[in-house]
Amino acid sequence: MKYHILPLAFATIITSQAGTPAAEPAAPAPAPEPWIKPILDIRARFEYGDVADPLLDSATAFTTRERVGLVTKDWHGFSALVEGEFTQAIDDNYNSSSSPTTSPNNPFDTQINDPETNELNQLYLQYKGFDTQFRGGRQRIILDNAAFVGNVGWRQNEQTYDGISISNTSIEDLTIFYSYINRANRIFGSDATGALRSFAGNVNLFNVNYRGFGDVSLTAYAYLMDFDETAANAGYISNNTYGGIATTPLGPVTLYGEFAFQTDTDSSPAFKPDLAGYTHLKVSTKQWNTDFNLGWEYLDADFVTPLATVHAFNGFADTLTGARLGLVRNPGISDLYISHTTPIFWGMKFSQFIHLFGDNNSDFDYGWEYDAVLAKKFNENFLAIAKFSYFDSDGAPGAPGAVNPAPFDTTRFSIELNYTF
């Protein structure tokens, strides 16, 4: 028996471990985050524009834009970002500014606001900590749907701001935002001057959002904009705006309501009224995999939004942008619109919009517009967009002394490819 004990013990050990898998190799530790990361945003766009003004020719623009920058890793809550913006015109048969006398090329072509430029787009120091984010320097600011404060991201040269911004989320479901800016760097490029280059002044932006009532979102804001008087606006764009937004689902639809009023400031011209109102109502629903929207946006006469991303409102032909921004006097805008967005084939999305435009009397005598957008997202980096818009003007309205801010038929078409990294 003693000769069989060792082999039996050895066999028992082998049998007991036969079903035990080999230990998994330890997962490699994740690569440390680099101290500095690159920023790259490239866009190439062809755009055609035609305004039926007998003094203007149609225009074509083939432009490329690069945003190149660096952002640092967070260090004890601190980080920094620097970004340059560079636009080139390969085909420059267009007027690239809002003023023919200051346009660097082709002043009698239709306006397409993508000038060649090389400039500092953003440069800021940021701190995050204690449920607070602080930024100081040149920065992008977009509030809510950008109807009052935005970056004009549609154009090649975006709008950024010089100042400070603070956002705090210490209270659950409550976001408090404040910003002080003394300059809005506009979209007309580094060669522009005066109000085309920037809107300077003292601007205080307050925005509070609360989401503690389930799916209901409530926002209150106060935008106090006291701009320097310039030859371009003579104080007309200065304003104090107070308003609120409520969004809530109701059965199969989502309701959006926004109301605001605007008062003049010490720098406002005498003819500007003491009080002007704003209303935006919208009903949205998703049916058959398609998003539908029915809305109405209304601006009283002399109600202006000089820092807005106006391309997102009142049609993609941009016929009412001057009046809405306050670059020309706004006789009032009423916009009744309907839209839908649906997926089609090959992962593309197709959107259509119809607008009926009128003045503050809601007579809808400015005209109508049809817009269509086709978008294809290839992956997280590549996005292609084709956009068509046609505005049919009814000419100057019949009211004595009234002026239609968009008296000419306008056609625009663009196709672009975007790459971000």
Side-chain angles (χ1 to χ4, degrees):
M1 287 293 294
K2 64 179 180 179
Y3 299 105
H4 299 286
I5 293 176
L6 186 59
L8 182 60
F10 183 69
T12 302
I13 294 172
I14 293 176
T15 303
S16 66
Q17 294 186 353
T20 303
E24 292 288 337
E33 183 181 356
W35 277 101
I36 298 178
K37 293 189 293 186
I39 300 170
L40 183 60
D41 185 334
I42 300 174
R43 177 192 288 159
R45 174 192 288 152
F46 171 81
E47 185 170 353
Y48 167 84
D50 180 71
V51 177
D53 183 336
L55 300 179
L56 294 179
D57 297 326
S58 60
T60 57
F62 180 28
T63 57
T64 57
R65 185 264 291 144
E66 305 85 39
R67 290 189 195 133
V68 182
L70 298 170
V71 59
T72 69
K73 176 182 176 180
D74 181 274
W75 181 75
H76 298 290
F78 290 94
S79 62
L81 181 146
V82 58
E83 180 183 62
E85 191 168 53
F86 314 96
T87 301
Q88 305 82 38
I90 300 171
D91 174 9
D92 63 353
N93 293 309
Y94 64 101
N95 172 8
S96 61
S97 89
S98 61
S99 171
T101 59
T102 59
S103 175
N105 54 350
N106 307 320
F108 298 106
D109 286 340
T110 293
Q111 181 181 330
I112 297 175
N113 293 324
D114 285 332
E116 294 190 280
T117 184
N118 301 293
E119 64 182 36
L120 179 67
N121 193 50
Q122 295 191 88
L123 174 63
Y124 62 77
L125 178 67
Q126 176 175 283
Y127 174 77
K128 279 187 176 182
F130 307 101
D131 300 316
T132 300
Q133 175 182 284
F134 171 88
R135 284 182 182 176
R138 180 166 297 184
Q139 57 192 280
R140 178 185 297 119
I141 300 177
I142 304 172
L143 296 179
D144 300 319
N145 59 2
F148 290 91
V149 181
N151 69 323
V152 197
W154 163 247
R155 298 268 49 114
Q156 298 284 44
N157 178 30
E158 74 172 332
Q159 179 169 275
T160 56
Y161 302 90
D162 296 346
I164 62 169
S165 64
I166 305 170
S167 180
N168 179 270
T169 56
S170 298
I171 301 175
E172 186 177 3
D173 299 318
L174 184 70
T175 300
I176 302 172
F177 175 89
Y178 168 74
S179 178
Y180 170 79
I181 60 177
N182 60 15
R183 187 177 304 276
N185 304 289
R186 305 191 65 217
I187 65 173
F188 297 104
S190 53
D191 291 333
T193 59
L196 285 178
R197 177 67 180 271
S198 64
F199 287 149
N202 295 303
V203 177
N204 291 274
L205 307 174
F206 300 88
N207 186 287
V208 179
N209 175 257
Y210 183 69
R211 295 180 178 270
F213 299 124
D215 294 327
V216 178
S217 174
L218 300 174
T219 300
Y221 54 79
Y223 304 141
L224 314 179
M225 307 181 185
D226 190 7
F227 295 102
D228 299 343
E229 295 186 39
T230 68
N233 58 68
Y236 182 66
I237 64 172
S238 293
N239 67 86
N240 295 323
T241 301
Y242 309 89
I245 304 171
T247 304
T248 182
L250 185 64
V253 303
T254 298
L255 304 179
Y256 175 95
E258 181 172 6
F259 303 92
F261 65 92
Q262 195 169 90
T263 64
D264 60 3
T265 68
D266 292 340
S267 62
S268 298
F271 66 81
K272 193 170 181 180
D274 294 334
L275 188 66
Y278 172 86
T279 300
H280 190 180
L281 304 174
K282 183 172 64 174
V283 179
S284 304
T285 187
K286 186 167 186 174
Q287 303 291 335
W288 312 291
N289 207 28
T290 299
D291 294 311
F292 296 93
N293 294 280
L294 173 64
W296 176 59
E297 190 185 28
Y298 170 86
L299 289 78
D300 260 340
D302 298 307
F303 192 103
V304 294
T305 62
L307 302 183
T309 299
V310 289
H311 180 77
F313 302 88
N314 311 136
F316 298 144
D318 289 334
T319 55
L320 303 178
T321 58
R324 184 170 182 137
L325 288 171
L327 301 179
V328 297
R329 188 171 185 181
N330 180 14
I333 299 172
S334 184
D335 178 4
L336 180 65
Y337 63 91
I338 185 170
S339 70
H340 80 90
T341 300
T342 185
I344 46 177
F345 53 86
W346 197 40
M348 292 190 293
K349 287 189 176 182
F350 180 58
S351 303
Q352 295 184 98
F353 308 77
I354 295 216
H355 297 262
L356 300 177
F357 295 117
D359 60 11
N360 60 330
N361 294 320
S362 300
D363 292 332
F364 298 108
D365 49 11
Y366 286 172
W368 60 272
E369 180 170 326
Y370 170 77
D371 300 328
V373 180
L374 189 64
K376 165 65 177 177
K377 189 172 185 179
F378 295 92
N379 52 43
E380 293 302 314
N381 304 106
F382 283 100
L383 172 67
I385 300 174
K387 185 178 291 189
F388 171 82
S389 58
Y390 173 71
F391 171 78
D392 184 279
S393 174
D394 284 344
V403 177
N404 186 340
F408 301 110
D409 295 350
T410 301
T411 303
R412 295 189 183 273
F413 168 77
S414 65
I415 184 167
E416 68 178 55
L417 181 63
N418 297 268
Y419 173 80
T420 57
F421 172 78

